[in-house]
Amino acid sequence: MDVFAANYAWVVWLVLILIFITIEMVTLDLTFLMISLGSLGGLISGLFGVPWWGQLVIAALLSMVLLLGIRPPLLRVLKRGGDPTLSNVDALLGQDGHIVSSTGALAQVRLANGETWTARFSPLVEPAVFTAGERVIVIAIDGATAVVIPAERNIS
């Protein structure tokens, strides 16, 4: 067994490196990249004549050092340049708009970004009567309905 492991350990290391890099390409978490670099350390140590069990120890130690020492700061650097622009529902919260038309408890509101939404007043607002042209502020999105409060009134 030792002769087989000594002669073909490099093949096992290459297969492991390829498997870990393939998994890394799917996950993009840098975990399997660090483990594949540890396996590369095991492969290189094998080329210098280290026995298979020594190669395994070197690969494990190098993987742990990379996972615990290099990966966290690398992730911080990579995520530093994230796009701070709000999108989807987050971009609508706090936007103001004007009532275009009303039908009972619902109204059509044209928001500052140009979109027209069905809207209803928040339950926190006292008697909710929509008047055309009234300025409102979006405080929540409930499905496809904007929950608004009048800009001039205070919440009770």
Side-chain angles (χ1 to χ4, degrees):
M1 178 66 182
D2 283 338
V3 174
F4 178 79
N7 289 336
Y8 295 104
W10 65 274
V11 175
V12 173
W13 288 120
L14 283 177
V15 169
L16 285 174
I17 291 169
L18 290 174
I19 289 171
F20 292 144
I21 288 177
T22 303
I23 294 171
E24 178 61 36
M25 288 173 27
V26 173
T27 63
L28 297 174
D29 192 36
L30 298 182
T31 301
F32 287 97
L33 178 64
M34 299 302 154
I35 295 172
S36 68
L37 291 174
S39 298
L40 182 64
L43 174 65
I44 292 171
S45 66
L47 296 177
F48 286 109
V50 177
W52 67 268
W53 55 269
Q55 296 173 29
L56 187 62
V57 169
I58 290 171
L61 289 176
L62 186 57
S63 294
M64 291 305 294
V65 166
L66 291 171
L67 279 171
L68 300 176
I70 302 296
R71 183 176 170 268
L74 187 59
L75 284 175
R76 276 193 300 274
V77 167
L78 290 174
K79 291 183 181 180
R80 184 181 308 155
D83 187 10
T85 307
L86 297 175
S87 62
N88 300 332
V89 172
D90 296 329
L92 296 174
L93 300 179
Q95 256 194 29
D96 64 336
H98 291 82
I99 304 291
V100 177
S101 65
S102 65
T103 55
L106 295 177
Q108 294 293 315
V109 176
R110 180 165 311 273
L111 299 178
N113 65 2
E115 295 179 0
T116 302
W117 279 72
T118 301
R120 65 177 167 81
F121 275 121
S122 168
L124 302 174
V125 176
E126 289 190 20
V129 178
F130 289 107
T131 57
E134 183 177 9
R135 189 169 158 257
V136 293
I137 297 174
V138 177
I139 61 167
I141 300 293
D142 183 20
T145 304
V147 179
V148 298
I149 58 171
E152 291 79 27
R153 296 187 213 164
N154 292 327
I155 298 174
S156 299

